[in-house]
Structures are given as C-alpha cells and as structure tokens.
Amino acid sequence: MKKKHVHSYPDLFNTLNLGLVLVSVVLGMYLNWRAGLIALLVLAVWAILFPIKTKILVKIGLLIIFFIPVSQMAKKSMFAEDLGIVLCGILVLLVYKFIQNARRRE
Amino acid sequence: MIKKYILIFLIFTAALINGRNFDFSTRGERELISQIEALQKQLSAQRQISGGEQFTTIDLGTETEPAQYYRVLYNLSSAYQSDTGQDFTIALKLFAEGEYGSQLIEELTIPEGANMYNREIIFKSEERAGMLRLVKFSDNYNRAITISNVKCRHLTENPQYLRSTIVGITNESVNVLGGDESSKSNYFRLKNQVIGTVVEPQSDLISGVDFKMKFAGSGGKNNYSVIICEVDEQNRPMITSAISRYYFSQGSAQNLKIGLSLYRFPILARTEKGKRYFIGISNQGVEFNYFNTLAVLGGSEKSPENNLSLLVYDNGRIKQIGPLFIRVYGPGVSDPQGYFLSNAIFQDVGNRVGFYDYIQSGRPRDLIDISSVENAKTSDIFFDNNYSGIMGNAENNIAFIYKFDAGFPIEQAKVTLNQVPAPIVDSLIYYSTDGITWNEIAVEKKEASSTGSFSKVIDVARGSDALYLKVTYDQGDKKYRSTQLFGVQALNIHMSLFLP
C-alpha cells in the first residue's frame, strides 16, 4: 500500500525558509543588483533562517581571502570586488557570533 | 521564532525602498572617471579662492621680460551666496608675480554670481613674472572666486597703436531674478511632476539658470532635467514641446554646485524679448521614492505679486507654490552685429601680426557657433552634456559646419580636436577656405580606450579671410559602433593673421 505523505511542521518551515532564500535571490535580480550584493543579501537571510556554524563561516572567509588576489591576478577585478563585499558580510556575522558565544558562556 | 521572520520582512522592505538606488560602478570605471576629471582640471587650468582664503595664484603660461608689453586675457566668476537678501560686489586685485616681487596690474570689482569672460589687461612688465596672483578684498561672506583660462601674449608694439581685441561673449549676467527665499522645500512626491516658474527673459538668449535644490537620500536613479518651454495665454507651461532640456543626476549635479544648495545649469535657449517662458525641473524618467527624491527650494508665501511658481502634475493639473529661488542668465557680447562666434578671440600683437583663437567652452552655448547644417534641421544637432561636445545623429549624411570669420587674411591655421570616445561613430573632418571645395583632414581612427585626439596645421593661401570646418561621420564605421551618434569635443582653432 502506498504511504500517504504528510507534511510535518519542521518540513513546512524548511520549505518556507528555502522559499525566502529564493525570494532574496529574485529580489536582488529584480533590483538589478550585482552578484556580490545579491550574495550578501542571501547570506544575511540564510544566517537568520539557518544558523551557520562559525567553523563553516571561517572556512568560507578563508577561501574568499585566497580567491580575491587570485581573481585580481586573473584580471577579474569586478569578481574580486564582489568577493570583497561577501567577505565583509561574513566578518560582520563572525563578530555577531563571537558576541553571542561570549554571552552564552557568561 | 516569529522574530526572525519579522527581521527578514524588514530586510526585504528596506531593500525594496532603497535597493533601486544602489548604483555601483566598477573600479575600472571609477579610475577612468577620476583620470578624466584630473585631465579636465589640468586643461581648464582653473584656481579658486574658496572659503576663508584671501588669494590664489595661477600660471601665466609664459615668463614676462622687463620693460615689455603684455596682454593677459582671463575668465572670472564669483559664487552667489544669497540669503543675505542683497546683491554685493567683491573688490579684487591682480598682480603679476615673479621671483623678486609683484606688480599690481588691475583692480576690479565683480558682482556676486557673475561670470566674466576674456577680461583684458595690458601692462608693461617691471620684473620677470610667471604667475598671476588674485587677491580678494571687502568680502564678509567668503564667496568663492574662480579664475580660469589665463592667456598671456607678448605685444611687439606699443599697445596704443594696436587694434582693439574682440571677444565673443564678454559676460553672463543675471537678467531675471526670482524669489530670494529658500526656506521651503518643494519635494517631488509623484512621478512625472515639474516644479518651475514663469519668467520674462530680458535677452534673446538664455545661457544659464540657477536653482536651489536639496537631494534627499540618493535623489533617485536616472536623470532629472531642467526644461525651458513656452507658456499659453493662461501662463500654462507647454511642457511636451520644451525648447531646451539639460539632464542631470545627483552625481553630475555636484560639478554644477556653486554655493550652499545652489546649482548653476548651463542650459541654452533662444528666446524672444518680452515673451514669457516657463523654466523648471522635471522628474520624468527618474526612479525615485519618498526617501530618495529632490526638493526645489523657494519661499513659503504663496501670493506675492508676479509670482508664477508652479507645480505641474502628470495629468496637467497645476498648483501654485511659493516663489522659487531662480536666477536666469543672458550673455553679453562685444560685437553687436553678432558675426563673431561666442568662443572666439581676435588679438592684434603688433608688427602686422594678429591671432584668431576659437576655444570650445564645453558648455551648451557652443551650439550657437555652428553656422549651418547639411541634410538636417538645426535641431538635429545638439549639445551632449555627458560628452561636453556637439553631437548629431549618424544618419542621412548629416553634417555641421563652422565658419571662422577672422576679418583679415589668414596665413596659417592649426586645428585641434577630440573625437567623442567609442561607442560613438568616428567623425570625418573637412576644411575649406571658400565653403565650396572641401579637403579632408586625415583623422586617426579611435580605439576603444582613446578619444582620438589629433591636431593638424593647415597652410591657407593668402587672401582668404575665413576658414570653414565641416564635421560629418564615417559611413564605414557605423556598423562597428553601438551608439549611432557622431560629434567633436574640445575644438580649438588657432589662426595667425596678416594685418594690413
């Protein structure tokens, strides 16, 4: 017998959250923003909906720090600038997480 | 739980409100803009006494010898401070300055808000001097004074035996004053609105307009425009058939700022004395919202006499507003017959040698110097304030022609100009001494990054008093360019003349 699929609440919220991330991409494209700025908006929305582990943020940040000079050398300065914008967002998130962790420890 | 959704809703709302106004240029574009600005500054060679400063110095371009005669021509402008309620004049002194001292060569006064072009000083040099020092007296309001385009020439004869110098435009002065107050901000709150006032110009030409404005936030994306149009019997502006427009954004308006909230727009329009015109600012085509918009400043009293300041809505509805702050400028000319071009200068330097110089100003009034157009109406040729040059549509073999009438036999002429940068179609340049037989001046084709600047020396057979220059476009280049326009920038003609 075929199992009837029933949506649980967490499932519904996950779909809604992913939908909101998608809306942020569409919104950025509608406003004709450049890639870096869209990525920053997506990052902000994602960080609010699905808390990202500090370790992952640090890894992404380090990767970006590595890729900025590489893309400069490859004469992709616009891409490097976009990466810079995202890096700024990540740094802000890291500072926020650092303060949050310190409070928790207290 | 609900908190984070509220936060996201707020982020999306903020992005929708302000997001249209993010306009990032790439680093390359920013570098190019700063290079162009530096070049323009260098070319225009202007110095300013600003704020609390008392003097400035500017290069004479040559070093004077003792006991010799020199002629100096220069432009001078003063900012309008306003809010003082009265018009002032500012006293100035000019010195020729050398290593061992300075010599007073002129004392003058300039009304605030005035532009003077090619003012002339003739002096006998006492010392070697290479600089000009401009000193300001009697100004309690710290108005900015700008000196520019200083040209110094050695005279080989006593100046009293020389012919007098002729210049095109000598000054631009206020010929219509609007309200003096700027206490009320008239904001653009809806799309397709026009805020302006009905005026009666006192000259045949409007060469500039001052408005007081305040940008809110980013001001909105895309361009506002200053428009000049005729009015009907009921003083209703005929906006759709504007006779002149000048486009600006918040960024480009910074170059037009001459005082606190005060902007001078170099708009050009031919007008009839005694006829009424509407001059205003339109937000047609601007993407804006409540937080990122523009306000035109004026007084709050609605009904003083002769006040016809209006807010025009999209549907044609008109609302009277308090008197706007406005100044309308008209040019003064030294040659009443008007054959002399606005940017031209004739000088006699002695020993039967004369010079005729034409230096394009990069302002809309350059348009009035075009003597005729081929295969087009005069309105098909226009001034483009993005490129600061004269442009035309690259179609139907359109051409525009200048006639440089020196009045004396020309011996040699040097033509210098810039092609308008790509993606504009390449221009072809021809010269003639009779306006019938045309010779092409070979112009280098411009590459993506260059302006195609070039100069050419032409030996003119003695006997001709005029030089004609025709600008058209390269048919073969049309398919390689995305913008189907052509034109010239920074046109500069230097002719040596034989004075009988």
Side-chain angles (χ1 to χ4, degrees):
Chain A
M1 213 173 88
K2 212 174 173 185
K3 260 192 182 175
K4 203 177 174 185
H5 186 77
V6 182
H7 280 292
S8 62
Y9 279 112
D11 264 0
L12 261 179
F13 275 110
N14 262 343
T15 320
L16 177 68
N17 291 353
L18 284 172
L20 284 173
V21 173
L22 194 71
V23 167
S24 60
V25 176
V26 174
L27 185 68
M29 285 165 75
Y30 165 73
L31 293 171
N32 210 9
W33 284 357
R34 51 191 288 185
L37 210 55
I38 298 177
L40 193 66
L41 181 67
V42 172
L43 185 75
V45 171
W46 188 280
I48 293 167
L49 297 172
F50 310 98
I52 312 168
K53 279 184 188 162
T54 315
K55 260 190 186 175
I56 296 174
L57 275 180
V58 171
K59 277 178 190 167
I60 299 174
L62 286 173
L63 261 181
I64 290 176
I65 289 173
F66 171 74
F67 272 110
I68 287 177
V70 171
S71 42
Q72 281 281 22
M73 277 187 274
K75 297 200 170 160
K76 303 267 179 204
S77 58
M78 223 171 134
F79 183 63
E81 231 172 278
D82 282 342
L83 287 179
I85 293 172
V86 178
L87 185 63
C88 284
I90 288 175
L91 288 176
V92 171
L93 276 179
L94 282 172
V95 172
Y96 172 73
K97 283 202 166 276
F98 177 78
I99 295 168
Q100 222 178 18
N101 286 343
R103 273 190 187 162
R104 244 180 240 156
R105 267 185 219 132
E106 276 174 16
Chain B
M1 180 78 169
I2 197 84
K3 262 189 197 167
K4 59 185 185 184
Y5 291 107
I6 293 172
L7 190 60
I8 285 176
F9 175 74
L10 287 176
I11 289 176
F12 283 175
T13 314
L16 267 175
I17 290 173
N18 292 298
R20 275 276 177 215
N21 304 301
F22 287 126
D23 191 11
F24 291 106
S25 48
T26 63
R27 185 178 301 153
E29 283 167 356
R30 283 199 298 269
E31 273 170 16
L32 190 66
I33 289 167
S34 59
Q35 276 171 14
I36 289 172
E37 279 173 355
L39 188 69
Q40 279 172 345
K41 228 175 195 172
Q42 199 186 335
L43 285 176
S44 64
Q46 69 175 35
R47 294 284 182 277
Q48 194 178 62
I49 307 176
S50 54
E53 291 172 351
Q54 284 304 311
F55 72 92
T56 186
T57 51
I58 189 166
D59 200 349
L60 261 178
T62 180
E63 183 154 82
T64 62
E65 294 287 335
Q68 295 288 315
Y69 287 102
Y70 291 88
R71 178 189 289 123
V72 174
L73 296 169
Y74 64 98
N75 297 351
L76 200 64
S77 67
S78 77
Y80 190 88
Q81 200 73 21
S82 77
D83 296 337
T84 55
Q86 11 180 336
D87 288 336
F88 281 94
T89 53
I90 302 137
L92 301 165
K93 284 184 185 178
L94 267 162
F95 298 87
E97 192 168 75
E99 220 173 309
Y100 303 106
S102 58
Q103 175 190 353
L104 176 67
I105 55 171
E106 196 186 25
E107 285 185 68
L108 75 153
T109 56
I110 181 170
E112 63 176 358
N115 282 333
M116 295 173 168
Y117 297 105
N118 293 309
R119 272 189 70 88
E120 183 185 35
I121 312 169
I122 292 176
F123 70 101
K124 193 175 183 181
S125 182
E126 289 167 2
E127 305 252 11
R128 283 179 195 275
M131 303 295 284
L132 205 59
R133 174 184 285 258
L134 176 69
V135 184
K136 183 167 70 166
F137 292 87
S138 77
D139 176 30
N140 300 328
Y141 290 96
N142 290 330
R143 293 166 190 80
I145 307 284
T146 306
I147 184 167
S148 60
N149 293 327
V150 174
K151 295 172 280 286
C152 179
R153 248 183 219 294
H154 177 223
L155 305 177
T156 50
E157 267 183 78
N158 190 325
Q160 61 183 341
Y161 306 121
L162 301 182
R163 290 171 172 85
S164 33
T165 305
I166 309 172
V167 298
I169 287 180
T170 53
N171 64 71
E172 272 174 302
S173 53
V174 176
N175 68 36
V176 176
L177 286 167
D180 245 343
E181 271 188 78
S182 55
S183 53
K184 191 188 167 206
S185 304
N186 301 293
Y187 280 102
F188 285 103
R189 294 298 190 203
L190 293 169
K191 242 185 168 323
N192 295 327
Q193 285 187 321
V194 185
I195 296 173
T197 190
V198 177
V199 296
E200 200 176 305
Q202 305 300 309
S203 63
D204 298 331
L205 203 65
I206 292 175
S207 61
V209 176
D210 286 356
F211 274 111
K212 277 200 156 190
M213 308 187 309
K214 209 164 67 185
F215 286 95
S218 71
K221 212 176 165 187
N222 296 337
N223 289 328
Y224 289 88
S225 60
V226 177
I227 59 167
I228 301 180
C229 65
E230 292 182 13
V231 293
D232 63 14
E233 295 81 27
Q234 283 100 43
N235 289 316
R236 295 170 67 89
M238 298 190 268
I239 289 160
T240 45
S241 50
I243 52 173
S244 188
R245 271 179 194 272
Y246 185 89
Y247 291 93
F248 68 95
S249 61
Q250 184 178 23
S252 64
Q254 295 319 304
N255 298 327
L256 307 170
K257 199 168 181 178
I258 54 165
L260 190 69
S261 313
L262 183 64
Y263 296 82
R264 181 168 298 168
F265 298 96
I267 190 170
L268 179 93
R270 284 183 195 282
T271 50
E272 282 174 45
K273 257 189 218 170
K275 210 170 161 183
R276 290 187 145 198
Y277 293 86
F278 176 82
I279 303 178
I281 296 178
S282 162
N283 74 342
Q284 194 183 25
V286 182
E287 284 178 28
F288 77 108
N289 54 51
Y290 209 80
F291 305 99
N292 297 288
T293 182
L294 175 71
V296 187
L297 307 186
S300 48
E301 178 95 12
K302 258 188 201 170
S303 53
E305 263 181 69
N306 305 325
N307 167 36
L308 270 171
S309 294
L310 310 167
L311 167 64
V312 186
Y313 289 90
D314 194 12
N315 58 9
R317 192 163 72 85
I318 292 176
K319 186 180 145 194
Q320 200 189 359
I321 52 175
L324 290 181
F325 178 99
I326 189 171
R327 303 259 175 282
V328 181
Y329 293 83
V333 289
S334 67
D335 162 44
Q337 277 87 45
Y339 86 93
F340 215 68
L341 302 187
S342 76
N343 294 312
I345 304 164
F346 162 78
Q347 292 185 71
D348 182 352
V349 293
N351 286 338
R352 297 187 164 185
V353 177
F355 292 116
Y356 177 101
D357 289 285
Y358 179 88
I359 303 157
Q360 210 173 41
S361 69
R363 291 164 59 95
R365 65 173 159 77
D366 292 343
L367 254 188
I368 56 176
D369 290 342
I370 289 171
S371 64
S372 61
V373 292
E374 274 183 8
N375 307 320
K377 296 192 292 288
T378 317
S379 57
D380 290 335
I381 305 295
F382 54 91
F383 179 83
D384 188 309
N385 54 305
N386 285 326
Y387 292 104
S388 300
I390 306 291
M391 311 275 278
N393 292 316
E395 56 189 28
N396 305 330
N397 287 320
I398 285 182
F400 54 90
I401 297 166
Y402 287 95
K403 183 184 179 191
F404 303 103
D405 197 343
F408 294 100
I410 303 165
E411 292 193 319
Q412 202 177 57
K414 186 180 180 191
V415 180
T416 311
L417 58 85
N418 285 353
Q419 294 243 31
V420 183
I424 306 289
V425 179
D426 274 347
S427 297
L428 294 180
I429 317 289
Y430 298 87
Y431 74 91
S432 166
T433 49
D434 54 11
I436 301 161
T437 330
W438 293 96
N439 306 292
E440 188 177 344
I441 301 176
V443 181
E444 262 182 53
K445 290 192 72 74
K446 59 175 182 265
E447 302 300 327
S449 57
S450 77
T451 54
S453 156
F454 76 97
S455 64
K456 160 90 180 170
V457 176
I458 304 163
D459 283 310
V460 182
R462 192 178 278 196
S464 176
D465 288 0
L467 179 79
Y468 296 80
L469 202 75
K470 180 156 90 172
V471 182
T472 183
Y473 61 94
D474 184 355
Q475 299 271 11
D477 189 52
K478 265 188 80 166
K479 56 178 175 287
Y480 301 114
R481 309 292 186 189
S482 58
T483 306
Q484 298 292 298
L485 296 170
F486 73 102
V488 285
Q489 283 177 325
L491 174 62
N492 202 323
I493 309 278
H494 175 71
M495 301 197 283
S496 50
L497 312 172
F498 171 73
L499 308 183

